[in-house]
Amino acid sequence: LRAASRREESVLEDSKYASRGQYAGSKASRRLVSCGLSIGGAAVRCGAVLTLEKKMVCRIRRQRALPVLLFLSSLLAGSLAVNDFLGSSLTWSIDQQFATSATHRNVTFRLRTAWANADVTRCNLVVRENVQLNSPDCTNALVKLRYGALKYHVCNHQTCGPAERVGAPTEIINSFTVLDFVRGKESMYSKTQVLTGLMEVNVTVPLEGIGLLAFFTRSPTPSAAAPRAADNGVTFSLFFVADATADPNQYWISREFPSDVTYLYTPTWVRLCSIGNRNEAGSYDCAVSGEPDALVVRRRIQNYFSPEPSFPLLSVQPRTGAARTTHFKFADYDGHHMVMQHRWCQLSSGTCLATNAGSYQNVTSSAALPAIQNLAGTGTGTGNDIDAVLELQDYTWLELEWPPTPPQLTVYDYSRRQFGRPTFEDEGTVVQTHYTVTSQASACASSAPIPVLVAVDSVTGMALPNNELVCYHSEPCSFNLTVGAMTEPIRVRAASGFARLCTLIEPWRCGCVDSTGGEVHRCTHELGDQELAQDRSGTAVVQCFVASSAGCTSAPVCVKVEVRSHAPRLVAPTPLQMNSIDESGSLIAGSTDVPACLGEPLEFVLNAEDEDPGDMVRLFVTEDLERDRVGFFEESDWVLRYGQDAVCRHSPFEEYGAVRQGDNRFQVDTRVLAFPSLDSSVIARYAENVTFYPSTTTQSVQYRMTFSERNGVYMRQVCSSAFDCREVRVSEDPVLCGTVYDNSRTRWGRWQGRVPTAQLGVHGLGDAAGEKHCWRVRLQAPPTFVTNASGCAPVGSSSTLRYECTPFAENPEQFTDTTGQPQAWRQIALSVNQPFSVAFTAVDPNLEDSVSIFVTEDPGVPPGMRVGRSVCQRRSVQLDPPRRSAQGECGAQPAVESACSKATLNLEWTPTEKDVGTEFRVCVVARDDSGLCAGRQERATSRGWYGEEQCMRLVVIQPKFEWGSGFVDELLAPAPTVLSAYVGCAMSFNVSLVETTFFGTNISSPGYGVAIQRAAAVDDAGYLGLRLEAEGKLRVTVDEGDGSGVSLVAVRPQLGSEGHTVSFCFTTGITDPEDVPFAGGVCAGEAGEFGQGYKPCAGHEDCASGRCTPTCVHVKVEKCRYCVPDGDTLNTVMAGYGIETNWMRVWTLNADTTAALGTTCTRHLDCEARADVAIDNPELILRGEGGVGKRILWAGLLYTPVMDEAVEALGCRFRTSLKSMRAANPNLEVAPGAVVAAGQEMCFIACNNRGVLATDALAGCL
């Protein structure tokens, strides 16, 4: 096309370009050429490839310029064939204020028809223009004769019989808008002059009308016996029953078909409601008030849109052996479920359906053509056509939401949660589409390849799944069409009836460009702004294409583009991280774990927003109703709907008691419609508790798990003999699911979201819904120490103390946390050298956790205690709570194996004598390996949650005793007694006590067994005695005895100890296996705790009298008196003691009775007790009565000076030497110049040896 400069009329020199309407002017102007061809009075739209012999003049159309008709003198008028009917479909939509306003009772019909051999000489049939009725060349009768009419009845009863119709039927001539017109063999079909049209008719329904019965018809009426007969040159493909006498009702369920109507296919029933109609069965009054009226059968309109089929009414059948790839495309803006059935299919030679005849198949938005027998041969003409009728039926929702009561348990599938299945009518709207499949054009050689046209995603480059694409309003949307390499030029254009939707961008503009063969070709199709406007949300744009090459045409490829609103979405601070893991260790898509830590408040905030201008949003969070454990919120959706009887009782758990806060918090039920049983249509309004918010919405979930509420956790307090007392159990982790919805359904009046499922987990009910996100509330609690009902009594013999579980004080179940609770700690009494072991056992309620037990550093362990390793104990756990079976019965869940949620720690110890009387505290703590509560609870870390701290007190028992009353009374009370001892005699006495050690009821033992032992010195006499023992001048032995508490003490004075007073202190000690001394004294006169003797004491404060008497025995070694054994002469005996005297003096000193002499042998001495004279043997031989014995004899004189005297003076007076005085008085200082203090007792042994006196410088005494 060459345009003269600045002229609006141009000469189309190139017929090829002229026929396509291409313009070579400025691209910036974006002006298109509208060419009209007047061929014998018929207007032909540009787009066909024509061979033109003469120049055509085409006026450039500016904006809305009218087409210019171009006449070709070489084409004769009236040379075209008569019309052939190819197909049709009738759909409708209802004004959404129909039931609430008398001025909006409108129904819009859409009648799409296709014709072959169309006579375009009249009626100005131009693409995108309407048929011009009432013109001389286009009368109503002519249009009705050639293109038929839409006829409908207004009915006031559902049967719509002759008596239930309002007035006469209305007939509307098919004055359609031309969608597409292609001429002759250039049409790529075997048909010539294929015409497709669409008529939209708006019908106003009177107030009493409850339905419309509409159908496509024509006049005059053909006979039923000859349904394909020609009439006035117009051939209609009619759909009649095979048997003219058969019941016509079989083609319309429960609908009486008007007997006076000739029909092409099953009529369309538009179900409506009346305003102020009579109340009788079969008549429905619109529920304009919203509430159902018991006196009037009220019902809202449930179906505002009929199903919308979109596919070519004429397509080409591939040659024999080729498979069809065409898909029918469907839409239902009510969101209803659809089924499809091929009602009828006919060849000139008979039936053509190979499969699926007479049976419905479920469809959503598309379905493949059924197997149709291939046409025989090629060529043109109707003789090889396939006439088929496709029936599409939707199912109207009776009630989208849950029924008010659950079905009987006998048929109730609890395991699959079928309680949420939406209900629908058995009958819905039926739309039948009559279409034709024709053979390849005669130009298609039998050996020529047929083009294969593929729809491709323009982003991924992959074939569109099912030839469907989702695009969002106000955003660019396009897809590609590709054709494989062909040897001949390829042409791609819109399929019949879809030309007006073809808006293509570079490099191709569909239907306008040929290309050379030998390469793969791509065409990009982009939707226009009007098709993608926001108010078109929820619509479906379908475009069908065909490709041809060398006279062969592909099967049509139909691409469906769903125009959607932008779904609202959850945004920060909503927890959206993917951290939920299933049992196999795989991440769960769309799920986030949120920990609920024992005792700590849980609150997580959910925030949502919508980017579409003007949209409102709501957020609803509920339990995952596909799970068995429900009741997380205070107002449980499940319990509210079906009551407690339909829920398995979850004892010992109570309900969780969580609450919603914030926006839309009052929506607690998944039922969101105001009156679902009355209105579940696409315009159904929401309940009052469902609130939408502009652009954004926020809601929070709050929950706190505590032992006191038992809301998800409890501690086992009914203890069995097993070690399960204090075991903590948590309920099944609740799962919450939240979805954010907009108001696009009610805003635009079309179903926007997903079709409802049986579960209705996403209950958007037509609103655009964001992706459902779930939150698994991980019920978390730390490990606790378990025991048995007794608090773990020890087992084993008295010699070995063993605890096989965690030791507790009495009533262990009363403590939920023993940290800092001394009353929960068990005190264990141990004896020295008694082996002791304990197995601390901890259990974690979270079976997937691993538990470890540790000994705390403070206070640590006693010296020598051995700490083992924390060891996992595999266990089998019966889960709580019970679940409902498929038969509706509540029962226990199967047991689950847990590898390390239970652990033990062994401690072993044997106390030694160093530990006697000491108390040790040992504490342990258990930790799991879960970091979920880190930062939420003070004892929870990233490495795990440290549970309670449990302690035990280990007391190594101090021996207890009471001093024997005989010992105390004789030697200690009321004042210490001084016992006399003599050199040569052994003095002995008994020290006695009674053991009162109590080991408690946990130890069966008679006691330690005690023995008397020497204690440390407490005074000078004691230290003197130790010195004399060290010097060999005093010998002391203590017989510890057999542990009975009585010991014999023997004191044997030696020469050099005379005159000394010493003391010996005693204590007690255990006998097994080593002695462990304990210092002490006695409260003289005070009975002990057990009344077995006198009370022991460690200090004066222990005695009521305020005086603690040391248990020390005092002994004085007497001077001048010695124990002399029998059987020897006096001289021999005296010489043995080193006494320088003679027998005469000894005899003289002891010449009296023992009583008179004061030498009576007491019971503590080993001498012979006798009362007669000390020496009675004239032979001077000492013999006892029973043999050899001992006697106490005087060896000198005792003198006590009344004043201080010098030793020399005393020696002179008693005629003795210093040496003799020194030997007789080892306790005194006897030396020249020494002075004997007044009152100091001295022993003098007379000596007549003057030589000795001279040597001691006592010459003055001579």
Side-chain angles (χ1 to χ4, degrees), residues 801-981:
L801 199 61
R802 187 172 76 253
Y803 288 82
E804 294 182 343
C805 55
T806 307
F808 273 84
E810 294 182 353
N811 303 318
E813 69 280 358
Q814 67 178 316
F815 303 101
T816 57
D817 188 341
T818 61
T819 304
Q821 299 288 332
Q823 60 270 30
W825 304 342
R826 191 184 191 100
Q827 178 170 306
I828 301 173
L830 300 174
S831 62
V832 174
N833 297 318
Q834 183 180 28
F836 163 74
S837 66
V838 60
F840 282 97
T841 305
V843 171
D844 195 287
N846 304 111
L847 303 183
E848 68 278 8
D849 289 354
S850 294
V851 175
S852 300
I853 304 177
F854 308 92
V855 176
T856 62
E857 292 184 357
D858 183 13
V861 296
M865 175 173 280
R866 190 179 69 84
V867 179
R869 297 179 59 186
S870 180
V871 179
C872 294
Q873 303 291 329
R874 179 173 291 275
R875 62 177 180 142
S876 181
V877 182
Q878 191 76 46
L879 293 179
D880 291 323
R883 286 186 176 178
R884 190 180 294 277
S885 66
Q887 292 73 33
E889 298 177 355
C890 292
Q893 297 188 51
V896 175
E897 294 294 320
S898 178
C900 199
S901 60
K902 179 180 181 180
T904 58
L905 177 69
N906 284 288
L907 305 180
E908 296 179 356
W909 185 48
T910 300
T912 67
E913 63 277 4
K914 297 179 180 179
D915 305 316
V916 170
T918 306
E919 178 178 313
F920 299 94
R921 182 164 55 93
V922 179
C923 299
V924 293
V925 64
R927 187 197 71 193
D928 61 27
D929 63 344
S930 172
L932 288 174
C933 290
R936 300 171 183 264
Q937 211 280 343
E938 61 179 356
R939 288 188 292 187
T941 68
S942 59
R943 299 184 62 184
W945 190 346
Y946 290 89
E948 63 187 352
E949 184 179 283
Q950 172 64 2
C951 301
M952 62 179 177
R953 293 191 183 97
L954 301 179
V955 179
V956 184
I957 299 173
Q958 171 84 39
K960 292 185 178 180
F961 59 92
E962 297 175 4
W963 292 106
S965 57
F967 162 65
V968 173
D969 291 341
E970 179 183 5
L971 301 179
L972 303 179
T977 299
V978 180
L979 298 178
S980 294

Side-chain angles (χ1 to χ4, degrees), residues 161-191:
E164 287 89 21
R165 300 173 193 163
V166 180
T170 301
E171 187 175 76
I172 301 174
I173 296 173
N174 187 16
S175 56
F176 53 83
T177 298
V178 179
L179 295 178
D180 192 18
F181 177 74
V182 290
R183 175 179 173 77
K185 61 184 179 181
E186 290 83 11
S187 69
M188 300 185 290
Y189 303 109
S190 62
K191 303 293 182 181

Side-chain angles (χ1 to χ4, degrees), residues 1217-1232 1243 1256:
S1217 64
L1218 292 178
K1219 176 182 177 183
S1220 178
M1221 287 189 294
R1222 188 179 301 114
N1225 299 280
N1227 64 319
L1228 300 177
E1229 180 183 3
V1230 178
C1243 175
D1256 284 339

Side-chain angles (χ1 to χ4, degrees), residues 523-736:
C523 173
T524 302
H525 180 80
E526 183 177 86
L527 274 67
D529 293 341
Q530 183 178 357
E531 296 167 317
L532 294 170
Q534 186 179 5
D535 61 2
R536 299 299 298 163
S537 298
T539 62
V541 179
V542 178
Q543 178 65 62
C544 299
F545 305 89
V546 292
S548 63
S549 178
C552 299
T553 304
S554 70
V557 171
C558 295
V559 178
K560 178 181 178 182
V561 179
E562 295 183 28
V563 181
R564 293 184 181 177
S565 297
H566 295 92
R569 63 185 185 275
L570 294 165
V571 296
T574 308
L576 298 174
Q577 59 271 31
M578 286 182 57
N579 58 6
S580 291
I581 299 176
D582 60 18
E583 294 178 355
S584 64
S586 302
L587 285 173
I588 303 174
S591 181
T592 300
D593 282 355
V594 179
C597 306
L598 177 64
E600 300 299 323
L602 166 66
E603 179 178 16
F604 60 96
V605 178
L606 311 177
N607 194 31
E609 64 180 24
D610 194 307
E611 62 180 282
D612 288 340
D615 273 4
M616 307 279 281
V617 292
R618 68 180 174 93
L619 174 63
F620 179 59
V621 180
T622 188
E623 299 153 277
D624 185 355
L625 299 179
E626 297 182 12
R627 297 169 62 88
D628 292 284
R629 179 66 170 131
V630 293
F632 183 69
F633 290 108
E634 284 184 344
E635 297 177 278
S636 169
D637 183 57
W638 171 258
V639 175
L640 285 175
R641 186 56 49 200
Y642 296 111
Q644 296 287 353
D645 293 340
V647 182
C648 286
R649 302 312 304 154
H650 303 300
S651 180
F653 295 109
E654 301 295 337
E655 300 302 328
Y656 296 97
V659 296
R660 304 175 180 90
Q661 294 292 339
D663 297 340
N664 210 39
R665 64 183 179 276
F666 298 110
Q667 183 188 345
V668 299
D669 192 347
T670 54
R671 292 170 59 97
V672 295
L673 296 182
F675 306 103
S677 60
L678 178 68
D679 187 4
S680 284
S681 70
V682 73
I683 66 167
R685 66 185 179 92
Y686 287 108
E688 293 182 355
N689 64 337
V690 178
T691 308
F692 287 86
Y693 299 86
S695 302
T696 62
T697 182
T698 301
Q699 188 177 120
S700 66
V701 176
Q702 298 176 0
Y703 169 61
R704 186 169 183 262
M705 179 174 61
T706 63
F707 284 123
S708 59
E709 298 292 333
R710 300 172 73 93
N711 56 343
V713 64
Y714 81 98
M715 177 177 284
R716 191 187 297 275
Q717 294 179 324
V718 178
C719 304
S720 66
S721 58
F723 302 143
D724 58 2
C725 190
R726 301 189 72 255
E727 179 186 5
V728 174
R729 302 294 294 269
V730 294
S731 184
E732 184 178 0
D733 288 342
V735 176
L736 311 180

